[in-house]
Amino acid sequence: MRFIITGPPASGKGSVAPFITKEYNILHISTGQMFREEIKKGTALGLELKKILDQGHLVSDELTDEMVRQRLNQDDCKNGFLLDGFPRNINQAKYLDAYLEEKGLKLDFAIALVADKDIIIKRLIGRRVCQTCGKNYNIYFTQPKKEGVCDLCNTKLVKRSDDTLEIAEARLQIYNEETAPILKYYEEKGILLKVDGNLKESYDTFLQIKEKVNAKWLLLSQKEK
Ligand code: ADP
Ligand code: ZN
């Protein structure tokens, strides 16, 4: 299966992703994560990227498209993938389609999480991340057992540098202007699955996704017969 998952910042893409990749035995590819890894390495490119991410802006299509292309070319993507954070605008969506078409492949589903603005803002400014194991917490919704420390590995939790109120609002605006139009793009292709992103438990979000994917899959396979 080949999926993309989209939604406003903090709509829960990153938390629901592991359930999806396990269910369909596919790889999770997060462009935001890839950028943050490059920043952590402290390369020249990383420094450039940090400036962009800290302002809540989007990285250029050229750079992002190329990074995704190289990643998808690797053997471990053969079984399918869940692209998280890409495409983020119509041009990237078209780039992905062209890339897949060239390989004789196509995208199966575009999952779109839909969430309310007030929930998104709280999730963003309250988000705390474990830099060792990657687990996310939230000071409003899902606190760790011991304040400021990861339950799983005891590491000190940190706030992402782009998770401030000002940046959160900028990212949300960019989402509405640049990313939201891809929903229509995928709807017209008949592969859009809209899912409620307001739920508290990522597992419940996953169950909704699974149900919709399997129902649509069945419908499509019947049509083909
Ligand atoms: P969130 O899920 O919280 O919105 P991500 O981790 O997906 O954040 O992305 C963090 C940042 O990385 C974005 O704000 C943007 O600057 C950059 N980024 C990630 N994916 C893309 C993309 N496909 N195109 C351009 N910039 C991107
Ligand atoms: Zn941890």
Side-chain angles (χ1 to χ4, degrees):
M1 287 272 208
R2 291 177 200 89
F3 298 96
I4 67 122
I5 186 163
T6 187
S11 52
K13 290 169 288 171
S15 321
V16 78
F19 295 114
I20 303 173
T21 51
K22 190 163 170 241
E23 174 76 20
Y24 299 100
N25 189 26
I26 52 177
L27 206 76
H28 179 202
I29 301 172
S30 157
T31 45
Q33 197 67 44
M34 290 168 87
F35 289 137
R36 282 188 292 276
E37 270 158 28
E38 191 66 38
I39 292 174
K40 236 169 132 180
K41 283 192 222 152
T43 58
L45 174 63
L47 281 175
E48 279 299 306
L49 289 170
K50 183 164 170 36
K51 277 190 230 153
I52 299 172
L53 267 70
D54 279 353
Q55 293 174 327
H57 292 167
L58 292 185
V59 178
S60 75
D61 288 347
E62 291 72 33
L63 211 143
T64 311
D65 290 350
E66 176 60 17
M67 181 178 78
V68 169
R69 186 186 69 81
Q70 285 184 15
R71 187 64 195 86
L72 292 183
N73 271 341
Q74 289 174 31
D75 273 349
D76 55 1
C77 294
K78 285 232 164 75
N79 208 15
F81 53 77
L82 173 70
L83 262 177
D84 163 6
F86 186 95
R88 250 194 172 70
N89 58 36
I90 294 279
N91 279 337
Q92 292 182 3
K94 288 184 178 160
Y95 180 86
L96 178 63
D97 278 346
Y99 168 86
L100 290 172
E101 199 185 321
E102 201 185 306
K103 306 253 162 192
L105 304 170
K106 68 176 179 47
L107 198 63
D108 295 302
F109 295 108
I111 303 163
L113 297 178
V114 183
D116 298 337
K117 188 179 171 190
D118 49 328
I119 293 187
I120 289 171
I121 295 287
K122 272 193 172 166
R123 282 183 183 164
L124 280 172
I125 60 178
R127 171 155 67 185
R128 300 293 181 274
V129 196
C130 172
Q131 278 191 310
T132 305
C133 73
K135 189 170 165 61
N136 278 4
Y137 298 86
N138 191 290
I139 59 168
Y140 302 110
F141 306 118
T142 47
Q143 300 211 25
K145 292 198 182 75
K146 195 173 146 201
E147 198 188 322
V149 182
C150 179
D151 292 343
L152 303 180
C153 66
N154 232 13
T155 309
K156 196 169 168 282
L157 301 177
V158 295
K159 193 173 161 130
R160 258 170 58 176
S161 53
D162 55 353
D163 280 345
T164 63
L165 182 61
E166 201 193 344
I167 302 301
E169 284 183 328
R171 282 160 70 202
L172 206 55
Q173 191 184 345
I174 292 177
Y175 174 79
N176 289 330
E177 284 169 8
E178 307 221 6
T179 310
I182 71 172
L183 267 58
K184 189 157 171 270
Y185 178 84
Y186 288 120
E187 189 164 35
E188 282 165 3
K189 291 186 180 287
I191 59 168
L192 181 70
L193 301 176
K194 270 196 193 170
V195 177
D196 183 4
N198 290 314
L199 307 185
K200 219 175 153 191
E201 296 293 334
S202 304
Y203 188 70
D204 293 332
T205 313
F206 162 67
L207 290 179
Q208 278 188 77
I209 293 172
K210 184 176 150 187
E211 204 177 295
K212 292 198 176 185
V213 166
N214 293 355
K216 191 133 192 190
W217 191 248
L218 199 72
L219 203 77
L220 291 175
S221 63
Q222 281 168 347
K223 259 192 205 159
E224 270 166 29
K225 271 175 206 157

